Amino acid sequence: MKKIIKQRSSKAGLPPGSLVHIGEQTGEPVRISIVDYDETSLSERETDDIAECFPHRDQPGVRWLDMEGIHRPELLKALGECYGIHPLTLEDILNTDQRPKLEDFDDYLFVVLKMLSLQPDGSLTAEQVSFVLGPSFLISFQEGFKGDLFDSIRRRLRENRGKLRKSGADFLLYSLMDAIVDYYFVILEDLAERIEALEEEVIAGPSRKTVVKIQHLKRETIFLRKSVWPLREVLGRLERRESPLVRGETVIYLRDVYDHCIQIIETVETFRDLLSEILDIYLSAIGNRTNEVMKVLTIIATIFMPLTFIAGVYGMNFRYMPELEWHWGYPAVLLLMLLVSLGMGIFFRRKRWL
C-alpha cells in the first residue's frame, strides 16, 4: 500500500537549505547523461563524474543534463554551485515528496513533476522528476533507475526530427513535460478498462473481493489526481509566459499540454464519480441480497408457526384428549399440517411475496 507522505524525521530541526535526501535509498551509482546539441551537431555521452558537467557557459547551443539518482547530496551541491542553483531548490530536489510546482528564480525556472508508471499488477508508482531551466541549459533530476519516458525525446534529438534541434532549452522542457503528460492517458485507458470490468462484476454478482477492488481503484484514482491536479497551475504559469526564459513560440505548444492536463483532470473526476456510483450499486446489491435472504427465512418461519402450534397442542401431556385414542389421529394431524402449509403458500403467492 502506498504511503500518503514520506518520512521527514531526518530533517527535523535542520536549517532551511539543508541537503538531506528523503526517499528510497539505493546503492546504485548516480548516472549522468550529457547531451549538447544545436541545429547542426549533437554530442551525447554518459558519465559518473560530476566534474564533466561543469563546463557549459561558453559552449553554443543547448546542454541537457539528465541525472538518474539523487541520493548523493554532495553531487547536487557541486552541480548547484556551478549552475547557480539556490540551496532551497536543491533541498526540494532531494525531497521526493514534493507536489508539482513551478518556482521562478529569475536566472532559472524550477519545475517539479510526477512521472507515473503502470506496474504489471495494475498498481501505480510515482517518480519525482525535477527540472532546472536556464537560458541555454536544462537539468533534469530523476528519482529512480527503472527507466523513464524520455527515450523518444533522445531519439528525436539523434535523428534531428521536428523542432527540437532548432529550438532552445525551453522547447526541450516542453517536450519532456509532454512525454510525461502523454503517458497519463495510457494510465487513464487502463483505469477505464478496469472500472468497466468492475461495473459489470458488480451488476452480475458482487463478492467480498469486489469491495476490495473498488477501494483499490479509488486509491489509484486519488493518487493520480494528486499528481495531475497541481500540474494545471504549473502549465498555466508557463503558458502565461511569466518568465523570459520561455519564448513565445513555445507557448503555443505549452497550451496544448495544458489542454491535455485539463482533459486528464476531467477524466479523473469522472472516474471518481463512477467509482462512487459503483460502490453505491455494490451496497445496494448486498442490501437486496440480504433482504431476499431475510424474506425467505421470514416466510419459512411464518409457515412453521402454525405447524409448531399444532404440534405443541398435541404434545401436551393431558390424560384425556379427544383425538389421542383415535385410530386415524396421527395421519389426520399430518394432513392438517400439510393443508395449512399449502394454504399459506397459496396466500403468499397471491400476495406476490413469493
Side-chain angles (χ1 to χ4, degrees), residues 48-330:
D48 55 3
D49 185 5
I50 193 67
E52 295 188 28
C53 305
F54 294 163
H56 72 285
R57 300 189 182 279
D58 298 331
Q59 296 181 357
V62 177
R63 163 160 289 194
W64 174 24
L65 299 179
D66 183 31
M67 177 179 289
E68 294 186 15
I70 56 174
H71 54 281
R72 293 183 59 187
E74 68 276 8
L75 298 183
L76 270 71
K77 182 178 179 180
L79 193 64
E81 292 174 351
C82 174
Y83 284 84
I85 303 175
H86 197 278
L88 290 178
T89 300
L90 299 176
E91 181 183 14
D92 288 343
I93 293 173
L94 288 169
N95 178 13
T96 59
D97 197 28
Q98 293 288 331
R99 67 191 298 269
K101 65 176 183 177
L102 168 66
E103 294 181 351
D104 189 348
F105 286 83
D106 295 333
D107 294 334
Y108 65 89
L109 291 179
F110 175 53
V111 182
V112 177
L113 294 177
K114 294 296 182 181
M115 181 187 296
L116 302 183
S117 59
L118 190 63
Q119 301 302 311
D121 60 354
S123 61
L124 296 179
T125 58
E127 173 189 343
Q128 178 169 302
V129 181
S130 305
F131 298 102
V132 174
L133 172 66
S136 61
F137 66 88
L138 177 68
I139 309 176
S140 56
F141 302 89
Q142 299 188 57
E143 178 183 355
F145 300 86
K146 301 176 182 178
D148 53 38
L149 304 175
F150 300 158
D151 288 340
S152 60
I153 309 300
R154 296 185 180 97
R155 286 196 299 269
R156 285 163 55 187
L157 285 172
R158 296 185 190 112
E159 299 171 5
N160 198 9
R161 291 190 288 114
K163 295 174 57 66
L164 264 177
R165 295 267 291 272
K166 303 178 182 67
S167 305
D170 58 334
F171 193 85
L172 175 61
L173 173 64
Y174 147 74
S175 301
L176 298 176
M177 294 178 66
D178 184 58
I180 294 175
V181 173
D182 281 347
Y183 192 75
Y184 289 168
F185 286 100
V186 177
I187 296 174
L188 289 179
E189 291 175 2
D190 179 77
L191 286 176
E193 294 177 357
R194 292 159 63 186
I195 290 175
E196 183 178 353
L198 184 60
E199 187 175 14
E200 295 176 355
E201 179 181 336
V202 169
I203 295 175
S207 62
R208 293 182 178 179
K209 294 181 180 180
T210 305
V211 69
V212 178
K213 295 179 182 179
I214 295 175
Q215 290 301 118
H216 177 72
L217 282 176
K218 289 189 71 173
R219 288 184 65 90
E220 297 293 346
T221 305
I222 294 173
F223 185 70
L224 178 59
R225 183 180 184 274
K226 181 182 176 182
S227 301
V228 178
W229 188 267
L231 182 58
R232 180 178 62 174
E233 179 184 352
V234 173
L235 292 169
R237 290 183 60 187
L238 287 173
E239 181 190 4
R240 290 192 294 269
R241 200 184 173 189
E242 297 178 354
S243 170
L245 295 174
V246 179
R247 298 179 302 172
E249 53 266 29
T250 307
V251 171
I252 301 176
Y253 297 93
L254 289 170
R255 188 177 301 129
D256 180 65
V257 183
Y258 179 82
D259 293 339
H260 290 171
C261 182
I262 296 299
Q263 182 179 353
I264 293 170
I265 291 174
E266 292 176 349
T267 306
V268 170
E269 295 299 324
T270 302
F271 286 172
R272 292 182 66 193
D273 294 338
L274 283 174
L275 288 171
S276 297
E277 293 177 1
I278 290 175
L279 182 58
D280 292 339
I281 294 174
Y282 169 80
L283 296 176
S284 298
I286 295 298
N288 291 335
R289 180 184 298 177
T290 303
N291 291 337
E292 289 294 328
V293 172
M294 293 301 298
K295 184 177 74 172
V296 172
L297 294 177
T298 301
I299 290 174
I300 293 175
T302 304
I303 291 176
F304 272 88
M305 284 176 61
L307 304 185
T308 304
F309 173 75
I310 295 173
V313 169
Y314 286 98
M316 292 187 296
N317 296 322
F318 291 105
R319 183 176 181 85
Y320 300 103
M321 292 183 66
E323 294 84 1
L324 290 180
E325 302 295 335
W326 187 31
H327 180 71
W328 300 102
Y330 178 68

